[in-house]
Amino acid sequence: RRPGSAGVDLQRAKLRLSLQEHLWAFYRERVLIPAQEQAQARRAALDICAELRVFLHAKLPDMPLREMFLSGSLYDDLQVVTADHAQLMVPLILEKNLWSSVPGEDTIMNIPGFWLVRRENMEYFPRGSSYWDRCLVGGYLSPKSVLEVFDKLVTGSINWPAIGSVLDYVIRPVVPSETLTLEVQYETDRRLYVDFLPLLVMEDGVSLIAKPHRLAAERHQNLWRQSFRVAETARLRALDQEDGGCRCVCLKVAKAVCKLNAPLTRLNAGQLTNALLLLSESEGDWTQEALAHRFLQLLRALVGHLEAGRLPCALSPKVNLFCELTAQEVDELGYTLYCALSDPESLLRT
Ligand code: GDP
């Protein structure tokens, strides 16, 4: 040992200790949302969902839908900082013999993680045999066109001011919106954004959502996005339950850091969840005492994935979860996180 190295070690241990303390303080003070705020937001989302169910049943009784339901981090106890958004899932019913799904890697676009939904058996079941034929574009079910059907209904024919005044909220559709979003003001200073998310559950269990490819070129417009959210969230939670681990805490801290630091807002929950799942494969100690180590390791892993330009989905490694970032965004994210490695606490001073 060099003289003095014990001192350096001690100093390092102290730094670690204080990062550990800072992370837990940040978690308690910034990340966690008060139970009452969450309950209010959930109540508002539920009221809107109930109104929409009644409206759709009455107005379009023959539209083949399963019951709509609410989902997202607000319902998995994974929302952070403020209770401000939820997804309203709208499951479409597709006739098994009339539709098939084509994986993105088998198309000229060659994008794993996205799918085309092709209309089959046109010769025996001509156009019009399926309700959803009205959303066909070039022989494929168009998520954009499906969203437009709901957009017309939700923004065009529902009297939101009237419903809002009954429920004591201010409700308005957000325009323009990439998907279809309602803004619900449920307190003078509290807003909840509810995203409409049409959903297809295909025969092989693949879940597809109508959320467009971010860098949507014309030819990408018919692509449905495969959703792994339910399975990956369940896996993370199960791992924590097995060993009393802090993976979900680590995820929430990372989500809050990305929400509160402008250069990191491009990193989303799916990417962070998968980076954590991949890290869990090689790292066993997720005790509460290890939070700072694991958090730093997560940052390092993200820098590595960004350098490679590739973050494989833990449940389907051919899917690259960075495929919708531009090269410049990848560089900027990588740079910000790389700088943070030497001063991780800077991420918490927001
Ligand atoms: P948060 O928005 O960062 O709190 O993270 P969530 O875990 O709530 O993820 C919500 C995001 O995931 C939204 O952008 C959704 O469009 C997307 N998403 C993908 N698949 C699903 C799904 O099956 N359910 C929900 N609720 N959202 C999904």
Side-chain angles (χ1 to χ4, degrees):
R1 254 170 193 274
R2 279 186 296 111
S5 78
V8 172
D9 283 352
L10 189 65
Q11 214 175 354
R12 279 217 188 108
K14 264 193 195 152
L15 274 177
R16 280 285 155 75
L17 187 67
S18 80
L19 176 62
Q20 172 80 4
E21 284 165 352
H22 278 112
L23 283 171
W24 280 104
F26 179 76
Y27 180 69
R28 284 188 305 269
E29 288 154 24
R30 300 300 307 274
V31 179
L32 282 182
I33 304 169
Q36 196 215 350
E37 183 183 335
Q38 293 195 51
Q40 262 184 314
R42 287 191 192 124
R43 166 96 258 152
L46 205 59
D47 286 342
I48 302 292
C49 180
E51 282 301 328
L52 278 165
R53 276 186 186 157
V54 171
F55 176 85
L56 286 178
H57 281 310
K59 179 113 178 172
L60 295 165
D62 59 342
M63 186 189 262
L65 294 180
R66 276 179 231 294
E67 204 74 276
M68 295 185 273
F69 60 95
L70 288 155
S71 115
S73 55
L74 186 59
Y75 298 89
D76 300 323
D77 198 23
L78 289 172
Q79 198 149 103
V80 296
V81 187
T82 45
D84 58 7
H85 63 282
Q87 283 77 40
L88 180 60
M89 310 304 283
V90 188
L92 314 192
I93 297 173
L94 295 182
E95 301 82 350
K96 282 193 183 68
N97 54 336
L98 300 190
W99 304 93
S100 69
S101 45
V102 186
E105 57 270 35
D106 294 352
T107 68
I108 48 158
M109 289 158 283
N110 190 16
I111 318 183
F114 287 84
W115 296 66
L116 289 171
V117 176
R118 188 167 57 204
R119 178 65 154 82
E120 302 289 352
N121 288 326
M122 275 285 200
E123 54 287 28
Y124 301 112
F125 302 97
R127 201 182 172 108
S129 307
S130 170
Y131 183 94
W132 297 111
D133 281 346
R134 68 197 66 199
C135 299
L136 276 178
V137 173
Y140 295 95
L141 184 66
S142 156
K144 191 161 175 265
S145 167
V146 168
L147 276 169
E148 277 161 13
V149 166
F150 289 106
D151 189 42
K152 276 203 199 99
L153 285 168
V154 172
T155 64
S157 23
I158 304 187
N159 187 349
W160 287 117
I163 292 172
S165 71
V166 172
L167 296 174
D168 206 14
Y169 304 132
V170 180
I171 309 170
R172 53 176 99 83
V174 178
V175 275
S177 150
E178 170 199 69
T179 48
L180 175 55
T181 305
L182 287 174
E183 180 195 275
V184 186
Q185 190 179 336
Y186 62 96
E187 289 269 303
T188 32
D189 56 346
R190 293 256 169 80
R191 274 150 219 250
L192 175 79
Y193 293 89
V194 183
D195 274 338
F196 242 70
L197 212 48
L199 166 74
L200 309 174
V201 180
M202 305 310 286
E203 237 180 307
D204 44 9
V206 170
S207 287
L208 303 175
I209 53 174
K211 187 176 176 187
H213 190 285
R214 197 181 140 233
L215 312 170
E218 194 69 30
R219 65 191 185 133
H220 288 163
Q221 281 190 355
N222 273 349
L223 289 174
W224 289 78
R225 177 188 301 264
Q226 185 168 2
S227 169
F228 300 96
R229 191 182 176 286
V230 173
E232 58 202 21
T233 307
R235 185 181 282 193
L236 196 71
R237 206 168 283 291
L239 286 171
D240 263 1
Q241 257 155 18
E242 274 167 32
D243 61 6
C246 66
R247 296 172 193 80
C248 288
V249 171
C250 192
L251 172 64
K252 287 165 81 173
V253 168
K255 280 177 63 168
V257 158
C258 293
K259 189 168 182 169
L260 297 168
N261 287 276
L264 296 177
T265 47
R266 279 272 160 250
L267 286 179
N268 63 35
Q271 292 155 345
L272 296 172
T273 304
N274 280 280
L276 259 162
L277 285 174
L278 295 176
L279 190 57
S280 293
E281 288 172 12
S282 59
E283 186 50 68
D285 178 10
W286 290 88
T287 49
Q288 314 243 317
E289 296 71 36
L291 178 64
H293 285 95
R294 296 296 85 82
F295 179 72
L296 280 175
Q297 239 180 336
L298 176 64
L299 297 186
R300 234 175 276 131
L302 284 166
V303 171
H305 292 306
L306 286 160
E307 269 167 7
R310 193 176 161 76
L311 171 61
C313 172
L315 303 178
S316 178
K318 60 180 184 254
V319 175
N320 176 12
L321 297 170
F322 286 157
C323 77
E324 288 166 275
L325 294 173
T326 65
Q328 195 188 349
E329 286 166 343
V330 168
D331 282 351
E332 281 167 6
L333 288 167
Y335 177 76
T336 307
L337 288 176
Y338 179 78
C339 294
L341 287 178
S342 54
D343 182 16
E345 300 200 5
S346 64
L347 296 173
L348 312 180
R349 287 191 286 271
T350 57

